[in-house]
Structures are given as structure tokens and as C-alpha cells.
């Protein structure tokens, strides 16, 4: 067979591998769901091209222990997708069996269920595993040629450098959208096709390490300098991503590269070259983004902060993994399966555990996770031994190790760009010395093309089976609910979606909301119970259950559900719960051992002028023997209630009877100042505030209260001095505008209208959407005689105001228009 014919097919396969690395990285880092189709298509094409070339040139099959990992994962996915009888399902996955019996069987869904919690997600995961395995096979076969290995590694290094340069360009242009077109859901710190900083850091760690390897293994000085520049760009990109885990693993990876290089005891310029690149990376990163890096590093300045930001979620994820110890929750099914075990912020959805070990444990189960780990270790040892005399390939393997280390604290391998690049690197290294392998291999014949055809059918068949995803089912149910229809139609649509995605709590939530809207409390409560089974931390589900129980005539049980919602942090239903407790005379149900909850309840009652109910609630709280924190909060609330009820002297006596340490705390000092003000003892209150401001110079609320006290006794100069210092403490727009409002009030009290106008206009610029600020500007302009400007400001304020608020200023507008027409403009 001519050499040209041999080259044509293998070069095409090589080009497809390079395209897979570059295109997936450019496709928003491989994060969008549609990139899975792109990955599968490129993998199938690459495998087909190699198969054709191998059959035409009588190549032999290769083998490497690394292939056992995707084979084991694919076998596990197939096993997890097989429907099992209930008894066997209960044995292999008790959690899934419980979900079937509690949520599905009452809906009439009695058929056998697979081990995976979400079959479509596992089908997609199977397609991805087969596609990555196909790329690994092709990379192993092409990795037998040194020139091919070097070309493909160079493509990866250039792709990483291009990503970093893209980020630098957007940084210089101060761009907020990628290429001026695409905006990510969350603002990226370093704008590249990778919208997530952690994924970007992993990608640049791998490609930057490969670029450094090419620089160290270059045959000419010019090539070494060029690849060193590419490595420098990637390294700077890692630092500019501000990914804490990414920066840490990048530094560790390049430190290992330096250690390996030293162990070879090279001399001359090449011996110090890697250290020059590493040092230049750190120096440039420090010079270009020192403040941002310092601010980001402060978030991990202690082990406690690191624990709170990363490691704190691991017990929750381990609990989810241990609920499926035998066969796992299903490859790709973590997002839906882990919701039942979430005890953190219910507004956050964890799509992955962000830890490679926990990922394998939860989705594969303990036995298979240990098997996969053993196979991976065996393959890694084999790869390390194969690169004993090869500098380029050994350093590339260290880049792979850096990505794996990064996935201990973040996740990037679950997305398609980084995983594709890593698989190609592993395959290229695994192909070393493949032609000198003494073990017999089968030759690839034309019938071997049937294998690639079967792989293509399996990949695309799994993709079709995994489509549509659970988000589509949620949208379809929402569309049915929005359309005018019967409860039976909504229930049928919900059951269809749940049959396909039994662990998708959103489907149950939408069905419960529709039943509640239709006034069917029994149906709503049935859906809510299933929802709480899947998502126990859903506070709104407890509220919905409480409302359904009230309609069913069970208010006491409803209050128990409300307490569960309040414990989970829901505050929106507190007023409804207070009304229910007042009707049932069950104030003890409001009391929780949760700091701040009682204060919020009392504040709502005071705002409605329900002081008697507030007194009843306080008595119930005192009878409940609260914890130390709540007891301190209760003491403040009792004194505040006495002051609001007119028992000011008694309130002051209770304050003075408290221990000095408690009495001098900020809340109690501010309360004492308020009480003294009601007793016309403002001078004592001012002295207390002055002492407090010295002890707490960084408290904005203290400074504002002191300024108000000074203004109350017409000490405007002192009030303005305090407000001038408070400007540095006001960070939020609302607090900044409040400072300027208070300054304007002081100037108005002295009838110094130009200064008052300046302060109010500044406040209006800080919060331009507030109509009341523009009304006040118009008032000051009118006082100054600038009628035309006042009229314009009044019209601007009316546009920002509500229709009712704008109509209430009609008389003022007419008066200004008449005055403006009479006078000069």
C-alpha cells in the first residue's frame, strides 16, 4: 500500500483529534449540553478514520490498561440502566426502591425501575464514556509515532495560549461580553470561552504544562523561547482566573515539573529555563493583578476559611454517596439524586460534588469506585514507566496529574473540553513503544469496520435515549399549567414527566402549586409530601403544606409545617403564620431557638401596631426557656416593647439593671439612647453615643444615630462632621445616599439651599431610581426660586413614581407650571 495512502487516513484521524481539543474548548469550554453531540460526532469520525486506515494498511489492534477505565464505566452504565424487579432493586438500591414505592406507585407507575435515579442522564453519560473511550483508542494508536505526539501536544499548547490571549484582550478592552456577543450567566473574572474560573484554570494548567514541556524539550533556542512564552501566557491566565483551587494546583504542578527536571541533573541554560518561566509567571501575575490576587487569597487565609468554602460540603456529599453504596445513584444522575440529601442553601443546585472521589463514590457505588480507582492507578504506573526516558511525555503526564489534583477541590472533568484534552494526552503517552509490544494483537480487517459502526450506533443511540433532559420535562409541564385546562390534564402531564425523571423535584413542585391554585388541598398536600421526600430542605414546600392543612381544617398541624419552614430560613410566610397563631391563640408555635426569628416577628407586629399580640408572643417566648442567645435577644425585645407601650421609665430601669457588659453592647446602647430621647434626656443620649462611636468607629449605624442626635439639638456642624466620616463606611448605594440625605437635612435646617441641593443631587445620582429623592430636589429648587428647574425635576420624579404617587403631586405640578409661565425662564 503506498505511503501516501497510509498518511491520508491517519493524518485525517490526527486532525480530527486536534479539532476535538480545539473546537470543544472554543465551544464555551464544552459546558453547554449540545457540546456532547459535538464530542460524540468527532469521536466517531476519528475512530472511523483510523479504522479505515488500519484496515487498508493491515495495522494491528493495540491494548493498554488505561482502556479498562472507560470499559468498566460503560459496563456500569449499562448495568445501571437495566430495569430490575422491586425485590432486586431494593437489594441493590434501597433509596431508589423507596422512591418508587413512596412517590411512583401511588401515581400508577408500578413498572420495574433501573438502578439509576435518572435514566436519561445515565444514557447521556454512557454516550460520553463511549465517545471518550473512542478518542482514547485513536490517541493510543496514533501515539506510536513521535511526530504525531509532538504535533498534537503542540496543538493543545497553542489552544491554551490562545485562550489566555483571548482573556488578556478582553481585559484590555474592559469587555463585559465574550467577543461582544455572549454574556455568561455569572460575570467571569477573566473573560474567555470558559465561563467558569475553575474550568478555565484546569484547562490552562494542562495546556500550560504541555507548553512548558515543549519549551524544555525543544531542539532550538528560538523554539524554546516561543513555547516558553506560550507557557507564560497560560500561567498568567491561571492567576488571572482567580480560581483558588486552580492557582494552588497549578503551582503544585509546576513545582513537580521543576523537581522532575532537577532529578535529571541537566546543566546549562536548559537547566534553569523552567525556573525562569515559572518565576516570570509569578512576577508578572503579581505585577498585573496584585490587588485582586491579594483579595482572593484572603478568602483562604486560614484553614477555617478553606474548610468553610470547599471542604464543608464534603460531609453532605458523602452522605449522599453512602445512601447508594452498592451500585451508585447512576452515572450523570448526581444533580437530581443528591437533592434529597442537601442540607445547605436550598436555593443552590449542586450539579456535581466537586470532588473526583466523591463523584465516583456517589454515581458508581463503593465497589465499582474502588475498582475504577485501582484500574486508574494501574494505568498511571504503566504510563509513568513508559515515559522514563522521555522528557516531553513525562511532563505532559504531570499536567494530567495537576488536573486530577484540581478535581479534588473543583470539577472540570465532567465538562467536555478538559476531559477531551486529558484523554488525548493519556492516549498519546499510552501509545509509546506500542509497535515494540511483544504481545500478539489481532490485525484490523475490513470486518473491523463493523466495530466502529457498532460504536457509532451505540453512541448516538444512547444520545437519543438521553434526550430530552429533565429541564425539557419541566418546561413542558409548565406550559400545560399555563394553558387553560383541567386538573386531569395537568396530572397526566406531571405523571409523564415523573415517569421519565422520577427524582426531579421541580415536577412535583409545579404540580403541587397548580393543585393549590385550583383550591384542591388534598391533591396539593399529596404532591407536597412527595416533594418533601425528595427535597426536605425546601422551605416553600413546608409553607404550601401548611396552607393546604389550613384548608383541610388542621391549623395546629399547619403551624408545625410553618415552624419547619422558618427553621429552614423562610421569612416570607412569617406574617401569615403570625395571623394563624393569633387566630388559634398558639403563640408558642412562633417561638424558635433561632437567633433573629423572634425579632422579625415582633417587628412585624409592631409595624401593624399589634402591641398586645407582641406582648403575648414575648410572654410565650419567656415561658419557652430559650437558649442563651435567644434569651439575650428576648431581653432587648422586652425593653423595646415596654418603651413602645409608654412604660419608658420601667424600660430604662430594666436597662440599667443589666450587667455592664450587656448594657454597653451596641444594640442595648442604641436602645438606651432611644429611651433617653423619649424622656427628654438627649444630652445623656448624646454622651452615650459619643462613647459608643469611640469604641465602635467602624459602625455605620452608630455614626448615623449620632448624627441624628446632633441634628435633633441643632448641632448641625457636629452632625456634618460625623456624616463626613460616615461616608467612608457607606459601601452600598442605599447607605451612601442615606448619608447624603442626612447632610442635606442639616443644610436645610440652616437654610443653606445650594449646599442642600448639592447633597440631594449626589444622593439622587447614587440611587437614580428613587422618586422621593427627586421630589426633595424639586422642593429645594423651588425654595431657591429656580422654578423651571424644579418643574423639570418634578416631572422626572413623577415618571419614576407609582401612578398613585404621581397623581398625588398633581396640584404641586399645576402650581409650578403656572408660576413658571408667569415668571422669566
Amino acid at each position: 500500500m503506498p505511503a501516501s495512502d497510509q498518511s491520508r487516513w491517519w493524518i485525517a484521524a490526527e486532525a480530527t483529534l486536534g479539532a476535538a481539543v480545539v473546537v470543544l474548548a472554543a465551544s464555551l469550554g464544552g459546558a453547554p449540553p449540545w457540546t456532547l453531540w459535538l464530542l460524540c460526532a468527532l469521536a466517531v469520525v476519528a475512530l472511523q478514520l483510523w479504522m479505515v486506515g488500519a484496515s487498508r494498511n493491515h495495522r494491528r489492534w493495540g491494548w493498554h490498561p488505561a482502556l479498562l477505565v472507560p470499559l468498566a464505566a460503560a459496563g456500569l452504565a449499562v448495568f445501571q440502566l437495566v430495569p430490575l424487579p422491586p425485590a432486586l432493586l431494593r437489594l441493590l438500591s434501597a433509596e431508589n426502591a423507596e422512591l418508587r414505592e413512596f412517590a411512583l406507585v401511588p401515581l400508577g407507575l408500578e413498572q420495574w425501575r433501573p438502578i439509576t435515579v435518572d435514566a436519561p442522564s445515565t444514557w447521556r453519560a454512557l454516550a460520553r464514556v463511549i465517545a471518550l473511550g473512542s478518542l482514547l483508542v485513536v490517541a493510543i494508536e496514533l501515539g506510536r509515532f513521535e511526530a504525531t505526539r509532538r504535533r498534537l501536544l503542540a496543538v493543545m499548547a497553542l489552544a491554551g495560549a490562545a485562550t489566555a490571549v483571548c482573556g488578556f484582550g478582553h481585559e484590555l478592552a474592559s469587555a463585559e461580553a465574550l467577543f461582544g456577543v455572549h454574556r455568561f450567566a455569572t460575570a467571569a473574572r477573566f473573560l474567555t470561552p470558559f465561563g467558569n474560573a475553575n474550568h478555565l484554570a484546569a484547562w490552562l494548567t494542562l495546556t500550560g504544562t504541555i507548553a512548558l514541556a515543549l519549551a524544555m524539550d525543544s531542539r532550538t533556542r528560538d523554539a524554546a523561547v516561543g513555547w516558553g512564552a506560550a507557557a507564560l501566557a497560560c500561567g498568567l491566565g491561571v492567576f488571572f482566573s482567580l480560581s483558588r483551587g486552580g492557582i494552588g494546583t497549578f503551582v503544585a504542578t509546576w513545582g513537580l515539573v521543576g523537581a522532575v527536571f532537577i532529578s535529571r541533573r541537566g546543566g546549562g541554560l536548559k537547566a534553569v529555563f523552567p525556573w525562569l518561566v515559572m518565576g516570570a509567571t509569578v512576577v508578572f501575575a503579581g505585577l498585573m493583578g496584585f490587588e485582586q490576587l491579594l483579595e482572593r487569597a484572603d478568602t483562604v487565609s486560614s484553614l477555617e476559611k478553606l474548610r468553610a468554602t470547599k471542604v464543608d460540603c464534603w460531609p453532605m456529599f458523602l452522605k449522599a454517596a453512602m445512601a447508594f453504596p452498592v451500585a451508585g445513584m447512576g452515572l450523570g444522575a448526581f444533580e437530581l439524586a443528591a437533592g434529597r440529601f442537601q442540607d445547605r442553601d436550598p436555593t443552590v443546585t449542586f450539579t456535581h460534588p466537586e470532588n473526583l472521589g466523591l463523584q465516583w463514590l456517589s454515581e458508581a457505588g463503593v465497589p465499582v469506585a474502588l475498582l475504577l480507582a485501582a484500574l486508574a492507578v494501574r494505568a498511571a504506573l504503566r504510563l509513568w514507566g513508559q515515559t522514563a526516558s522521555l522528557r516531553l511525555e513525562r511532563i505532559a503526564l504531570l499536567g494530567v496529574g495537576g488536573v486530577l489534583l484540581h478535581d479534588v477541590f473543583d470539577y472540570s472533568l465532567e465538562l467536555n473540553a478538559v476531559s477531551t484534552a486529558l484523554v488525548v494526552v493519556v492516549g498519546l503517552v499510552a501509545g509509546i513503544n506500542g509497535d515494540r509490544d511483544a504481545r500478539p494483537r489481532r490485525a484490523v480487517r475490513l470486518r473491523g469496520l463493523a466495530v466502529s459502526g457498532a460504536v457509532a450506533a451505540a453512541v448516538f443511540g444512547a444520545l437519543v435515549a438521553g434526550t430530552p433532559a429533565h429541564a425539557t420535562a419541566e418546561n413542558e409541564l409548565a406550559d400545560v399549567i399555563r394553558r387553560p385546562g383541567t386538573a386531569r390534564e395537568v396530572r397526566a402531564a406531571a405523571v409523564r414527566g415523573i415517569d421519565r425523571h422520577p427524582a426531579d423535584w421541580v415536577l412535583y413542585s409545579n404540580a403541587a402549586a397548580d393543585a393549590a391554585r385550583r383550591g384542591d388541598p388534598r391533591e396539593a398536600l399529596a404532591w407536597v409530601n412527595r416533594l418533601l421526600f425528595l427535597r426536605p430542605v425546601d422551605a416553600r414546600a413546608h409553607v404550601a403544606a401548611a396552607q393546604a392543612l389550613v384548608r383541610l381544617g388542621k391549623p395546629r398541624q399547619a403551624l408545625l409545617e410553618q415552624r419547619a419552614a422558618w427553621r429552614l430560613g423562610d421569612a416570607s410566610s412569617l406574617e401569615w403564620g403570625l395571623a394563624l397563631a393569633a387566630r388559634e391563640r398558639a403563640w408558642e408555635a412562633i417561638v424558635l431557638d433561632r437567633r433573629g426569628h423572634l425579632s422579625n416577628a415582633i417587628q412585624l407586629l409592631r409595624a401593624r401596631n399589634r402591641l398586645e399580640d407582641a406582648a403575648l408572643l414575648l410572654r410565650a417566648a419567656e415561658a419557652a426557656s430559650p437558649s442563651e442567645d435567644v434569651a439575650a435577644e428576648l431581653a432587648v425585645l422586652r425593653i423595646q416593647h415596654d418603651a413602645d407601650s409608654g412604660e419608658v421609665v420601667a424600660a430604662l430601669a430594666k436597662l440599667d439593671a443589666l450587667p455592664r457588659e450587656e448594657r454597653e453592647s451596641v444594640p442595648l446602647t442604641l436602645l438606651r439612647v432611644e429611651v433617653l430621647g423619649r424622656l427628654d434626656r438627649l444630652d445623656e443620649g448624646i454622651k452615650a453615643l459619643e462613647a459608643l462611636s469611640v469604641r465602635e468607629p467602624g459602625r455605620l449605624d452608630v455614626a448615623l444615630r449620632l448624627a441624628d442626635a446632633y441634628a435633633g439639638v441643632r448641632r448641625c456642624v457636629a452632625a456634618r462632621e460625623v456624616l463626613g466620616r460616615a461616608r467612608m463606611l457607606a459601601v452600598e448605594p442605599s447607605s451612601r445616599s442615606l448619608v447624603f440625605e442626612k447632610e442635606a437635612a442639616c443644610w436645610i435646617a440652616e437654610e443653606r439651599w445650594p449646599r442642600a441641593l448639592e447633597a440631594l443631587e449626589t444622593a439622587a445620582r447614587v440611587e437614580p431610581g428613587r422618586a422621593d429623592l427627586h421630589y426633595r430636589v424639586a422642593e429645594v429648587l423651588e425654595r431657591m426660586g429656580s422654578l423651571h428647574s424644579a418643574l423639570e425635576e418634578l416631572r422626572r420624579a413623577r415618571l419614576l413614581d407609582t401612578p398613585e404617587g404621581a397623581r398625588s403631586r398633581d396640584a404641586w405640578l399645576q402650581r409650578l407650571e403656572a408660576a413658571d409661565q408667569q415668571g422669566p425662564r
Side-chain angles (χ1 to χ4, degrees):
M1 187 66 62
S4 60
D5 192 13
Q6 174 183 348
S7 304
R8 184 168 62 247
W9 296 102
W10 289 340
I11 288 177
E14 177 186 337
T16 306
L17 281 188
V21 172
V22 175
V23 171
L24 286 168
S27 301
L28 302 181
W34 53 264
T35 59
L36 177 58
W37 289 82
L38 188 59
L39 167 64
C40 293
L42 290 168
V44 167
V45 170
L47 182 63
Q48 188 72 30
L49 288 170
W50 183 83
M51 283 285 188
V52 172
S55 64
R56 291 171 66 90
N57 293 277
H58 306 290
R59 291 288 301 187
R60 294 184 177 272
W61 291 94
W63 176 255
H64 193 276
L67 290 170
L68 289 172
V69 176
L71 282 175
L76 172 66
V78 171
F79 174 68
Q80 290 175 331
L81 286 164
V82 176
L84 301 176
L88 185 56
L89 180 64
R90 191 176 301 108
L91 179 65
L92 296 177
S93 181
E95 287 289 330
N96 210 358
E98 186 180 4
L99 171 63
R100 175 184 177 274
E101 293 168 2
F102 180 82
L104 304 185
V105 171
L107 294 175
L109 303 175
E110 301 179 357
Q111 65 267 33
W112 291 6
R113 291 282 162 181
I115 290 174
T116 177
V117 174
D118 190 64
S121 297
T122 303
W123 278 114
R124 293 194 300 274
L126 175 61
R128 186 170 182 270
V129 167
I130 297 175
L132 291 175
S134 300
L135 290 177
L136 181 61
V137 168
V138 177
I140 289 173
E141 299 301 333
L142 296 179
R144 296 192 174 109
F145 307 102
E146 180 183 359
T148 300
R149 293 200 303 271
R150 187 173 289 272
R151 282 195 299 267
L152 284 173
L153 291 175
V155 168
M156 293 186 197
L158 291 173
T163 303
V165 170
C166 172
F168 298 142
H170 284 85
E171 192 79 12
L172 291 174
S174 299
E176 297 181 356
L178 183 64
F179 302 118
V181 176
H182 180 76
R183 291 182 181 271
F184 292 102
T186 56
R189 303 183 186 95
F190 188 58
L191 199 56
T192 69
F194 289 77
N196 185 288
N198 297 320
H199 306 157
L200 172 64
W203 165 256
L204 292 178
T205 295
L206 178 60
T207 55
T209 304
I210 292 172
L212 183 61
L214 288 167
M216 296 164 63
D217 199 53
S218 297
R219 297 179 177 85
T220 64
R221 181 174 298 180
D222 290 343
V225 171
W227 290 120
L232 175 63
C234 293
L236 287 175
V238 173
F239 280 92
F240 270 73
S241 73
L242 300 182
S243 167
R244 296 165 301 186
I247 293 173
T249 54
F250 170 77
V251 171
T253 302
W254 278 27
L256 288 175
V257 171
V260 169
F261 199 75
I262 286 177
S263 68
R264 294 178 178 272
R265 301 187 180 185
L269 178 62
K270 285 192 173 183
V272 299
F273 186 78
W275 302 104
L276 290 175
V277 176
M278 296 177 202
T281 300
V282 175
V283 170
F284 274 101
L287 291 176
M288 298 174 70
F290 177 77
E291 292 184 359
Q292 287 181 301
L293 290 172
L294 189 63
E295 179 182 352
R296 188 66 172 163
D298 184 61
T299 63
V300 287
S301 59
S302 68
L303 290 177
E304 176 61 25
K305 289 181 179 179
L306 179 62
R307 185 196 70 83
T309 54
K310 291 293 180 185
V311 186
D312 204 32
C313 288
W314 288 0
M316 177 179 69
F317 296 144
L318 182 61
K319 179 182 176 182
M322 291 300 97
F324 302 87
V326 180
M329 59 180 62
L331 293 187
F334 183 88
E335 179 178 354
L336 294 182
R340 185 177 177 186
F341 308 94
Q342 183 173 339
D343 54 16
R344 300 292 294 266
D345 185 358
T347 63
V348 176
T349 299
F350 293 97
T351 58
H352 302 85
E354 301 197 18
N355 176 280
L356 187 60
L358 291 173
Q359 180 84 21
W360 285 7
L361 279 175
S362 59
E363 294 191 354
V366 176
V368 177
L370 294 177
L371 173 64
L372 290 173
L375 294 177
V377 169
R378 179 189 174 192
L381 293 175
R382 173 79 175 272
L383 291 170
W384 190 254
Q386 289 178 217
T387 59
S389 59
L390 300 173
R391 177 185 298 160
L392 172 62
E393 288 78 2
R394 173 152 285 194
I395 296 175
L397 273 185
L398 290 177
V400 171
V403 173
L404 296 176
L405 178 62
H406 179 270
D407 265 45
V408 173
F409 298 100
D410 291 305
Y411 76 100
S412 59
L413 293 179
E414 292 304 311
L415 301 181
N416 296 319
V418 178
S419 56
T420 298
L422 183 139
V423 163
V424 171
V425 173
V426 169
L428 293 175
V429 176
I432 296 172
N433 300 327
D435 284 334
R436 293 194 291 273
D437 196 332
R439 290 176 300 177
R441 297 186 301 273
R442 296 178 63 86
V444 178
R445 305 298 183 192
L446 284 176
R447 65 175 179 271
L449 298 180
V451 175
S452 61
V455 169
V459 167
F460 290 109
L463 277 178
V464 172
T467 305
H470 62 275
T472 303
E474 295 168 6
N475 294 333
E476 289 175 352
L477 178 58
D479 290 340
V480 173
I481 291 174
R482 280 193 293 267
R483 294 196 303 265
T486 64
R488 180 174 297 181
E489 292 173 343
V490 173
R491 180 184 175 87
V495 170
R496 283 197 303 272
I498 290 170
D499 187 22
R500 185 169 171 81
H501 308 281
D504 187 0
W505 64 270
V506 176
L507 298 174
Y508 299 89
S509 178
N510 289 343
D514 180 72
R517 180 180 61 84
R518 295 176 185 273
D520 189 345
R522 294 186 182 278
E523 181 75 4
L525 191 59
W527 285 113
V528 166
N529 285 335
R530 296 185 180 98
L531 170 60
L532 290 175
F533 176 82
L534 290 169
R535 194 174 173 83
V537 297
D538 194 324
R540 297 304 304 168
H542 286 285
V543 174
Q547 293 170 347
L549 286 168
V550 167
R551 294 191 184 97
L552 291 173
K554 299 179 180 180
R556 294 282 176 165
Q557 294 184 28
L559 284 171
L560 294 178
E561 291 292 338
Q562 279 294 152
R563 287 170 60 85
W566 295 331
R567 285 195 184 95
L568 293 171
D570 179 73
S572 61
S573 62
L574 182 55
E575 187 168 5
W576 183 83
L578 287 170
L580 182 61
R583 192 181 74 189
E584 297 297 320
R585 296 296 176 184
W587 293 107
E588 68 280 358
I590 305 296
V591 181
L592 293 181
D593 193 12
R594 188 172 187 270
R595 189 171 181 83
H597 172 75
L598 187 59
S599 296
N600 292 337
I602 295 296
Q603 184 178 0
L604 281 172
L605 292 173
R606 289 171 56 195
R608 301 294 185 270
N609 200 27
R610 295 165 57 186
L611 297 183
E612 292 183 5
D613 286 344
L616 293 172
L617 178 56
L618 290 173
R619 280 200 288 271
E622 290 166 350
S625 301
S627 65
E628 185 176 345
D629 286 344
V630 177
E633 180 183 0
L634 178 59
V636 176
L637 292 172
R638 170 55 72 182
I639 296 170
Q640 180 71 61
H641 178 73
D642 290 344
D644 291 340
S645 302
E647 301 177 11
V648 186
V649 176
L652 184 59
K654 289 179 180 179
L655 277 170
D656 291 338
L658 293 174
R660 181 178 178 181
E661 294 78 10
E662 295 183 24
R663 192 170 64 244
E664 291 183 351
S665 66
V666 173
L668 287 178
T669 300
L670 295 178
L671 180 56
R672 191 169 192 276
V673 170
E674 181 182 343
V675 172
L676 288 172
R678 296 186 182 187
L679 292 172
D680 293 330
R681 295 162 61 179
L682 295 178
D683 291 340
E684 292 182 46
I686 289 175
K687 289 179 181 179
L689 283 172
E690 289 173 340
L692 181 61
S693 66
V694 173
R695 295 198 311 270
E696 302 284 348
R699 291 288 297 258
L700 178 62
D701 55 344
V702 174
L704 294 178
R705 183 67 68 87
L706 180 57
D708 288 340
Y710 282 144
V713 295
R714 301 191 66 80
R715 293 173 59 181
C716 294
V717 175
R720 287 198 299 272
E721 290 177 357
V722 173
L723 291 171
R725 295 192 298 269
R727 288 184 187 180
M728 296 182 293
L729 305 175
V731 178
E732 299 296 328
S734 58
S735 57
R736 287 185 60 81
S737 66
L738 181 60
V739 170
F740 286 110
E741 282 186 80
K742 292 185 179 295
E743 285 187 6
C746 291
W747 293 120
I748 290 173
E750 295 178 337
E751 297 186 358
R752 299 176 64 176
W753 307 113
R755 302 301 298 271
L757 177 63
E758 180 183 356
L760 285 173
E761 287 179 335
T762 303
R765 284 195 296 270
V766 173
E767 288 192 291
R770 282 182 54 185
D772 61 315
L773 289 176
H774 293 282
Y775 284 133
R776 295 188 64 187
V777 171
E779 290 174 358
V780 173
L781 287 169
E782 186 180 10
R783 290 289 190 99
M784 295 173 62
S786 301
L787 300 180
H788 184 71
S789 299
L791 181 60
E792 293 297 323
E793 196 67 29
L794 178 58
R795 288 170 176 164
R796 185 179 298 114
R798 283 164 56 87
L799 291 175
L800 297 171
D801 204 353
T802 62
E804 295 78 10
R807 283 195 295 269
S808 67
R809 269 80 177 184
D810 285 344
W812 185 13
L813 177 65
Q814 293 169 4
R815 177 165 51 82
L816 280 180
E817 287 177 340
D820 183 50
Q821 290 174 1
Q822 293 175 2
R825 292 184 176 243

